[in-house]
Amino acid sequence: MRPARALIDLAALRHNYRLARELGGRKALAVVKADAYGHGAVRCARALEPEADGFGVACIEEALELREAGIRAPILLLEGFFDAAELALVEAHDLWFVVQADWQIDAIERARPAKPFTVWLKLDSGMHRLGLAAHEYRAALQRLQAMAQVGEVVAMTHFARADELDCDRTEQQLALFNQVCVEASLPTSLENSPALLGWPDVQGDWSRPGLMLYGASPFAGPHPLADRLRPVMTVESGIISVRDLDAGESVGYGARFVTRRPSRIGVVAMGYADGYPQFVPNGTPVAIDGHPGDLVGRVSMDMLTVDLTDHPAAGLGSRVELWGAQVRVHDLAARCETSAYQLLCALKRVPRHYLDE
């Protein structure tokens, strides 16, 4: 069998959720959209359900997958419903949903649920993606509160630049949210992962940890709270071939790496078809049998190459960590000018193996 695999540490997942609860101080909605950022939504939700206050997903298809797997905790549709016909499924499966546009309020008004819906009303405080503008928000809230179809309403917003700790955009968004929502006396939901870790003055009743659940930092540099996170996913494979090359020999497509000395090059069963970035630079860190090492040459569809010259004990079958406890995914993302979000969600074709206490 091909040696590539992703190890998913469910104990680390629970550790990171508890940290989010500790930092938020109140309830935390574990965000498991996009198949739990590539970690497996059902397995992650089952691991967290005994202590999680609820789960967040992008769409009703993701919510139904969890319900069909037996997850009974509250599930919030973070993008709301996309069509009024979905409200029948929302009711049947006891889902919560975000309202971010007037047409959704119209659809709720026409519905006849057996019990009131739980609604999270989203304010566009500056992200300019989803949500009601400040001048629309109070009227929308009044409409919802007047409806028999609606029970609890939670006021929410989403921060656009909370991962930039030297940027005042988060403070501006918080000020607008408070201006619009403070008099409503509603439960609130404000903190995403970077706000939980980096903005202690941002406090709501519900936090929404996403990336941090999986052990990745949202910040460009070190951060004392982010350093407490434990990586959940370790992506590893094995060396399937070793080449002894003279100085001046090129490796892989495009001759992007040329040996400067007699070198041993190991071929690893991992490539861009698996979700590893194709254009990482020479010297991108890996761990070879637990020791720091370097990737060299261009990543191919199914293979990549590492420098074994300074690893005399490594050879066929040696374990190579691409990211995990030794090579943090956010550090890899910075090397290849992408994000930890994209790396985690892009992982394909690599079988997952779940570890637990």
Side-chain angles (χ1 to χ4, degrees):
M1 299 291 285
R2 191 167 182 255
R5 61 179 185 168
L7 305 176
I8 310 298
D9 184 345
L10 298 175
L13 178 72
R14 287 189 286 268
H15 164 87
N16 297 335
Y17 178 80
R18 291 165 189 157
L19 177 60
R21 284 282 303 269
E22 173 191 330
L23 296 175
R26 300 181 186 178
K27 294 183 178 180
L29 194 78
V31 178
V32 294
K33 64 180 180 177
D35 201 27
Y37 292 51
H39 292 68
V42 169
R43 290 296 297 269
C44 289
R46 284 175 175 163
L48 289 174
E49 188 174 27
E51 54 192 290
D53 299 304
F55 297 98
V57 298
C59 56
I60 201 160
E61 291 87 349
E62 293 180 342
L64 295 182
E65 179 186 23
L66 296 184
R67 285 287 187 250
E68 289 166 4
I71 302 299
R72 302 268 63 89
I75 300 174
L76 174 68
L77 305 179
L78 289 164
E79 296 172 23
F81 54 91
F82 301 116
D83 185 277
E86 292 182 6
L87 285 173
L89 288 171
V90 167
E91 180 183 5
H93 295 279
D94 194 21
L95 305 176
W96 301 351
F97 56 86
V98 167
V99 165
Q100 51 87 16
D102 282 332
W103 72 264
Q104 293 172 317
I105 301 175
D106 296 337
I108 296 167
E109 200 166 34
R110 295 191 299 269
R112 295 295 179 265
K115 69 174 187 177
F117 295 123
T118 295
V119 171
W120 290 41
L121 183 60
K122 189 166 195 174
L123 172 70
D124 179 7
S125 62
M127 182 78 171
H128 300 321
R129 196 173 59 178
L130 298 178
L132 294 154
H135 69 275
E136 304 170 317
Y137 194 87
R138 289 194 181 97
L141 175 60
Q142 290 171 359
R143 283 186 67 191
L144 290 170
Q145 290 179 321
M147 292 181 192
Q149 297 95 323
V150 175
E152 183 175 53
V153 179
V154 177
M156 71 177 298
T157 196
H158 193 67
F159 295 121
R161 300 179 69 179
D163 56 341
E164 300 174 57
L165 298 177
D166 58 351
C167 176
D168 63 1
R169 185 60 166 170
T170 298
E171 294 169 332
Q172 294 171 6
Q173 288 190 250
L174 179 61
L176 180 59
F177 181 86
N178 288 336
Q179 176 187 335
V180 172
C181 300
V182 69
E183 295 179 0
S185 299
L186 298 174
T188 58
S189 177
L190 296 165
E191 308 105 296
N192 54 5
S193 291
L196 277 167
L197 292 164
W199 297 87
D201 292 338
V202 176
Q203 293 287 322
D205 298 290
W206 285 89
S207 62
R208 305 186 307 273
L211 182 68
M212 68 176 293
L213 287 182
Y214 308 102
S217 172
F219 305 123
H223 187 280
L225 291 177
D227 290 345
R228 292 173 59 187
L229 297 171
R230 289 167 50 185
V232 175
M233 179 188 290
T234 296
V235 177
E236 65 178 29
S237 192
I239 292 175
I240 59 173
S241 178
V242 177
R243 289 288 184 268
D244 292 299
L245 301 178
D246 294 330
E249 294 290 338
S250 63
V251 176
Y253 289 117
R256 200 183 66 183
F257 175 77
V258 178
T259 59
R260 296 181 179 180
R261 57 178 176 167
S263 300
R264 293 179 70 233
I265 302 298
V267 180
V268 182
M270 175 70 64
Y272 63 78
D274 300 298
Y276 193 85
Q278 183 177 10
F279 296 109
V280 294
N282 290 325
T284 293
V286 297
I288 301 168
D289 287 335
H291 301 288
D294 295 325
L295 182 149
V296 294
R298 185 185 296 177
V299 175
S300 303
M301 181 178 288
D302 312 297
M303 293 173 281
L304 56 82
T305 44
V306 297
D307 190 346
L308 299 181
T309 310
D310 296 325
H311 299 265
L316 288 176
S318 285
R319 174 183 175 272
V320 178
E321 178 187 302
L322 286 311
W323 71 72
Q326 291 183 263
V327 181
R328 301 302 292 269
V329 66
H330 44 268
D331 294 331
L332 172 62
R335 284 289 190 119
C336 51
E337 298 183 354
T338 184
S339 69
Y341 300 88
Q342 185 172 15
L343 287 178
L344 293 171
C345 293
L347 195 68
K348 305 171 186 175
R349 199 175 66 172
V350 178
R352 291 189 290 246
H353 298 263
Y354 291 88
L355 310 175
D356 210 343
E357 291 180 334

